[in-house]
Structures are given as C-alpha cells and as structure tokens.
Amino acid sequence: MRLDRFLSETTSLTRSLAKRALKNGEVTLNDEPIKQAATHIDTDSDVVVFNGARLALVGLRYIMLHKPADVECTARRGLYPRVIDLIDLPKAERLQPVGRLDVDTTGLLLLTDDGQWSHRVTSPRHRCAKVYIAELDEPMDEEAAELAIQQVADGIMLDGEETPTQPATLRFLSPKQAELTITEGRYHQVKRMFVALGNHVNALHRRSIGDVVLTDELAPGEWRELTPEEIASF
Ligand code: URA
C-alpha cells in the first residue's frame, strides 16, 4: 500500500495532510525518516511511526450503539446529529448503520464496515428477528389485543404495499405498551403496522436484533464493540 494512503487509513489525517506530515519529516519507516508519499510499504511487516505511535490498519469493525432520539442514521450532515458522530473512533464515517432507525426511534443500532455481514443481518431471506417496544396512543382492551395478535401473526397489508407483512409476534406488556417481533425491515414498518391495526405509535425502542440484546450497560448515546460471539451469531 502507498505510504500516504496507509497514513490516511490509520490516522485522522486526510491524504493531503498525510503528504504534508511526510514532507515535514514527521513519519519514520523502519526507524528511518521518510518523505516520499508514493513509497510502497508492506502493511504487515513495515514499522511506520507517526507522532510517536506505531500505526496499524484496523480490521473490520462491529459496533452496537444505544441510539438516542433526535439522532439520524444518515451519512449526510442535516438537521440532527448523525449516529456516526457518537462513535469516537478514527474513520467512524466508514461505519454504516445496519438498517435504519427513524430519528425519533431509540435503542439498538448496529454499525459496521463489513458489507457482507450487514447484508446477512438485514436480508429478509435470513429472517433475523428484531424486537421493538412500542408505546401506543390508544389503550387496547383484551379483545382488541387478541385480534391484533392474530392479525400480526397472519400478516397484515400495509398502506401502499402489495404483499402482506411476514408473520410476526405481538405481545402486550400493558394496554398501551406492546412488544413486536418482526423479521423484515420495511420502511417505517412497526409504525405502519400499528396504523394498520387502528392505533398510533407514540414512542418506539428497539431492544434486540437476533441474539444481540441492548441491556442497561449502555446508556443512550453509548456504544461498545460486539463480542466475537455476537458477531458470529448472524
Ligand atoms: N419501524 C419503524 O416504524 N421505525 C423504526 O425506526 C424502526 C422500525
């Protein structure tokens, strides 16, 4: 790999700042000062030091974030802060959210730079279960709840769509709080499912994706790396 590219991949320097750091003599290669940006290095065996630290390429990264409300899952800067602004890692902008949560939805969000893994988690073919807690506008009595549970289990037609939702599981935790487990990720799916059931979601929180569960260890806005077991579970 070219030295200037290696510097920009392993630090927060842009390619042109990496070239400048090289010109300024701030980088050594195998203990010798090096100024040529086009030098090819072996990223496994060559020792590149910048600012007193040996640089190394990071592998693929897998993160879980407790997404707070009013933070967006987009890459563009817009009205709200972006989820990647909460991840204080070099090159965080290379991480992509694995599926999206609405700006007002809270809870578990996975991020990675591994496109194949992301596809495994989100592809409807893999039927990965996602569990949401919905705070509802209207209380549902026992009879309405039983009907809704059956409709969700059978699959319901969402406004503007041609195929019903995949069978899903609905459980009422109280008359105005429901746990919905779905295996797809259609646009605003949970909110639209409750609209189809004649209700409205006032607040939505994602508790888990597959075997990865958001627990109290992460406060809103906090993140951690997934464990090897969690990564391998998809
Ligand atoms: N379903 C929704 O309606 N919103 C989300 O953010 C996630 C699932």
Side-chain angles (χ1 to χ4, degrees):
M1 182 184 289
R2 266 178 67 119
L3 185 53
D4 55 346
R5 178 157 166 233
F6 179 74
L7 273 167
S8 75
E9 300 243 330
T10 52
T11 66
S12 55
L13 297 177
T14 59
R15 201 79 173 253
S16 57
L17 285 175
K19 284 183 180 145
R20 190 175 309 162
L22 283 160
K23 263 204 190 127
N24 292 344
E26 295 169 44
V27 181
T28 60
L29 173 61
N30 301 327
D31 289 333
E32 299 292 333
I34 177 95
K35 295 200 168 195
Q36 291 75 29
T39 307
H40 275 265
I41 61 154
D42 180 329
T43 56
D44 290 329
S45 58
D46 282 328
V47 177
V48 180
V49 173
F50 168 65
N51 269 345
R54 180 173 178 185
L55 304 181
L57 291 173
V58 283
L60 293 167
R61 297 180 291 184
Y62 306 85
I63 304 285
M64 70 187 275
L65 168 72
H66 185 162
K67 179 193 172 296
D70 298 334
V71 177
E72 272 186 319
C73 289
T74 53
R76 270 178 300 107
R77 281 181 201 282
L79 204 55
Y80 296 98
R82 304 166 304 168
V83 287
I84 50 170
D85 296 327
L86 299 174
I87 314 288
D88 45 342
L89 283 176
K91 311 284 176 201
E93 63 285 355
R94 294 204 184 146
L95 296 166
Q96 301 280 341
V98 178
R100 289 187 173 194
L101 291 178
D102 298 334
V103 68
D104 57 344
T105 301
T106 60
L108 177 61
L109 183 72
L110 302 177
L111 298 111
T112 186
D113 45 12
D114 182 345
Q116 284 182 2
W117 185 83
S118 178
H119 180 70
R120 276 208 297 284
V121 179
T122 53
S123 160
R125 239 173 9 103
H126 290 103
R127 303 263 162 101
C128 176
K130 286 158 284 228
V131 179
Y132 292 89
I133 305 296
E135 309 294 335
L136 304 175
D137 205 34
E138 298 290 336
M140 293 181 82
D141 62 23
E142 223 169 280
E143 199 183 329
E146 260 174 39
L147 182 63
I149 289 167
Q150 193 55 53
Q151 285 175 292
V152 164
D154 293 342
I156 49 182
M157 201 58 98
L158 300 182
D159 193 29
E161 300 216 2
E162 285 171 3
T163 51
T165 53
Q166 287 289 325
T169 309
L170 182 60
R171 199 162 71 91
F172 281 86
L173 309 174
S174 77
K176 289 181 80 172
Q177 191 185 52
E179 181 195 84
L180 178 62
T181 304
I182 58 174
T183 56
E184 308 167 277
R186 301 192 198 187
Y187 184 65
H188 295 321
Q189 180 162 345
V190 175
K191 292 176 185 167
R192 289 166 69 215
M193 283 175 77
F194 279 101
V195 167
L197 295 169
N199 212 316
H200 177 83
V201 172
N202 287 336
L204 188 60
H205 179 85
R206 183 155 65 191
R207 181 177 276 175
S208 63
I209 303 175
D211 291 341
V212 179
V213 182
L214 182 66
T215 62
D216 290 346
E217 69 175 319
L218 294 181
E222 290 184 342
W223 62 272
R224 69 162 170 83
E225 288 180 5
L226 293 185
T227 64
E229 292 74 27
E230 287 169 330
I231 297 165
S233 70
F234 291 102

